Amino acid sequence: MSEKKNQWSRREFLKAAGIAGAGSVVAPFYRPANASERSDKMPLRPFGNTGLKVPILSFGGSLDTSLSMLVLRQAFKRGVTYWDTANTYMGGRSEKGIGKYLEKYPRDRQQIFLVTKSHAWTTSGLSRDLDLSLERMRTDYIDLYFLHSVREAGQLDGEIKSWAEKKKAQGKIRLFGFSTHSNMAECMSGASKLGWIDGIMMRYNYRLMHSDDMRRAVDACTKAGIGLTAMKTQGGGQVKTDSETELKLAGRFLDQGFTDAQAKLKAVWESPNIASICSEMPNMTILMANVAAAMDQTKLSARENALLRQYALETRSTYCAGCADICESAVAGDIPIGDVMRYLMYARSYDNPHRGGRRFRKIPLNIRVQMAKVDYSGAEGRCPQKMAIGRLMKDALTELV
Ligand code: SF4
């Protein structure tokens, strides 16, 4: 590496540490400068067999991006050129903010891998949503269009396939796939057999990535040439310091120069089959800490990976793994236990009660009424994470209203 590059890297690195230290929610990445362990470019990985390469860090836009022009600009400049949004995020303000950016910097569009999503389950609804997304984001095409929150592979039927092919032929989308928060392994394994899914974004983190189901699903998708993006990589928020393992874990990472948040990103990047991590980065602090982690080449040691797994095991009853088929089939009615657990996670672990509450209140009132009366003991007996489902459903009814 040339001296000039070294200076650039060191300056960027120190900037990351300095900004992150300014009263931030994420602690600074303050590993002492060691040029051999850093890259001065955002690393890229192939996105399945699409022929495209994407940065290993992507910008999660489930926020009002119209208020985040600085972060978007700096993300672009630092190589975070994969941007993820959805037509529903912040009531459309996420897409509109990206449109505002692209209007100001139209030449950046070609370098941005732009993803958006729709919840519509009819082809007419998908067409309407896609056109609205194009208009809001002031672009002629979406690089990757997702069906949002697929819960079972059967939802990906022939009509959806024909719609995706038609929109590709029209040049409105380049690639098609889906996001999934529930029953992820089943959805991914099913998709790997279809032959027309280009990309998937799924919950994936140090808690979920080691299960046999998830390993098999990732392998099957990789063999099928599907590009994979991991989301929810923090696995339920920051490491607390309640137990001996937690203290050991957080302390060990800090000794190595990482925060636990950065270590969790590294754990996911160690899987070569994951093309990118989608991370919500609402401010410069988190952007710079994540960029620093992406550019640093240091790997977690076997001991650190073992500690993370031990921590995941000890705290498993605090984290819903999204295997909703298991618990929801054990209770009467249509209680969306997996979704409610996710909304609680937004409120409690992501410190975003508005987001959790907004989504919770979309559950029909009759189901919310039913939620209070149902017997959850059968579901609790089946839950692999040993979660106190009954108590948590009641908590949601009081915390998320
Ligand atoms: S509550 Fe338990 S069984 Fe239900 S989705 Fe979460 S981890 Fe799976």
Side-chain angles (χ1 to χ4, degrees), residues 232-252:
K232 310 283 187 282
T233 50
Q234 293 302 301
Q238 268 186 305
V239 168
K240 316 255 181 351
T241 47
D242 295 339
S243 72
E244 196 53 33
T245 307
E246 288 166 327
L247 286 168
K248 240 195 251 172
L249 186 69
R252 186 172 176 111

Side-chain angles (χ1 to χ4, degrees), residues 11 37 45 65 79 95 106 145 190 240 272 340 348-349 355 365:
R11 195 168 60 240
E37 290 169 350
R45 286 187 184 176
T65 56
E95 287 190 336
Y145 199 69
K240 316 255 181 351
V340 175
R348 291 179 167 183
S349 304
R355 185 168 166 197
L365 185 60

Side-chain angles (χ1 to χ4, degrees), residues 206-397:
Y206 68 99
R207 294 179 186 275
L208 301 173
M209 62 194 280
H210 303 294
S211 76
D212 290 343
D213 281 359
M214 186 53 91
R215 280 179 196 273
R216 275 195 294 271
V218 168
D219 283 350
C221 287
T222 303
K223 282 194 187 108
I226 297 174
L228 296 176
T229 301
M231 64 169 159
K232 310 283 187 282
T233 50
Q234 293 302 301
Q238 268 186 305
V239 168
K240 316 255 181 351
T241 47
D242 295 339
S243 72
E244 196 53 33
T245 307
E246 288 166 327
L247 286 168
K248 240 195 251 172
L249 186 69
R252 186 172 176 111
F253 289 143
L254 290 173
D255 286 346
Q256 301 301 312
F258 316 134
T259 63
D260 62 89
Q262 291 170 320
K264 289 173 188 172
L265 297 177
K266 284 177 173 293
V268 170
W269 281 320
E270 282 186 11
S271 170
N273 298 327
I274 302 300
S276 189
I277 287 177
C278 179
S279 173
E280 189 174 295
M281 295 183 270
N283 54 50
M284 287 302 298
T285 301
I286 296 176
L287 172 70
M288 295 306 286
N290 286 1
V291 166
M295 291 190 174
D296 182 87
Q297 308 291 304
T298 319
K299 293 197 179 314
L300 298 183
S301 68
R303 176 72 187 132
E304 286 154 3
N305 273 311
L307 271 173
L308 258 183
R309 289 180 76 163
Q310 187 182 340
Y311 172 71
L313 190 66
E314 287 178 12
T315 56
R316 67 179 169 162
S317 67
T318 65
Y319 183 77
C320 173
C323 39
D325 269 0
I326 295 176
C327 55
E328 291 175 7
S329 58
V331 296
D334 293 319
I335 313 291
I337 297 173
D339 288 341
V340 175
M341 291 293 189
R342 186 153 49 90
Y343 306 153
L344 265 180
M345 178 179 73
Y346 291 145
R348 291 179 167 183
S349 304
Y350 290 25
D351 205 18
N352 196 340
H354 298 300
R355 185 168 166 197
R358 201 171 52 243
R359 298 197 183 189
F360 181 75
R361 288 189 294 277
K362 286 192 178 155
I363 298 173
L365 185 60
N366 64 319
I367 295 198
R368 282 187 269 152
V369 169
Q370 207 183 0
M371 264 179 71
K373 301 175 186 163
V374 165
D375 174 10
Y376 294 98
S377 54
E380 288 179 353
R382 288 192 194 175
C383 174
Q385 299 291 97
K386 308 285 174 219
M387 300 196 77
I389 298 174
R391 177 175 58 73
L392 290 162
M393 292 299 107
K394 290 199 171 68
D395 288 354
L397 284 163

Side-chain angles (χ1 to χ4, degrees), residues 55-209:
I56 64 169
L57 178 64
S58 61
F59 184 87
S62 53
L63 42 94
D64 186 347
T65 56
S66 61
L67 304 175
S68 310
M69 289 299 111
L70 171 68
V71 183
L72 284 175
R73 188 75 192 130
Q74 292 303 318
F76 180 85
K77 285 186 170 181
R78 282 162 175 74
V80 184
T81 51
Y82 171 169
W83 293 3
D84 175 279
T85 182
N87 66 336
T88 50
Y89 287 164
M90 299 304 288
R93 294 198 301 285
S94 172
E95 287 190 336
K96 284 179 186 164
I98 290 173
K100 186 172 151 188
Y101 179 94
L102 290 177
E103 187 174 43
K104 190 161 185 193
Y105 303 104
R107 290 170 61 183
D108 289 1
R109 175 64 188 93
Q110 282 186 337
Q111 291 177 61
I112 294 170
F113 184 77
L114 187 59
V115 179
T116 192
K117 325 181 187 77
S118 164
H119 273 113
W121 291 101
T122 62
T123 51
S124 59
L126 283 170
S127 294
R128 181 201 59 222
D129 285 356
L130 171 59
D131 287 341
L132 182 60
S133 294
L134 292 171
E135 186 188 319
R136 282 176 174 166
M137 293 197 280
R138 300 171 200 221
T139 183
D140 297 331
Y141 67 98
I142 304 296
D143 292 277
L144 172 60
Y145 199 69
F146 276 155
L147 268 184
H148 202 167
S149 264
V150 167
R151 291 174 66 98
E152 50 186 81
Q155 291 174 298
L156 304 158
D157 60 22
E159 268 192 59
I160 303 280
K161 179 186 177 203
S162 303
W163 181 88
E165 286 169 351
K166 188 169 149 199
K167 294 301 161 185
K168 283 184 184 178
Q170 290 174 353
K172 291 189 174 184
I173 65 174
R174 295 173 81 189
L175 304 168
F176 182 82
F178 63 90
S179 66
T180 175
H181 303 82
S182 301
N183 308 318
M184 291 83 72
E186 186 263 329
C187 291
M188 293 165 69
S189 297
S192 71
K193 298 180 188 117
L194 294 177
W196 53 275
I197 297 295
D198 302 304
I200 298 174
M201 180 162 78
M202 70 287 170
R203 287 170 62 182
Y204 185 86
N205 54 50
Y206 68 99
R207 294 179 186 275
L208 301 173
M209 62 194 280

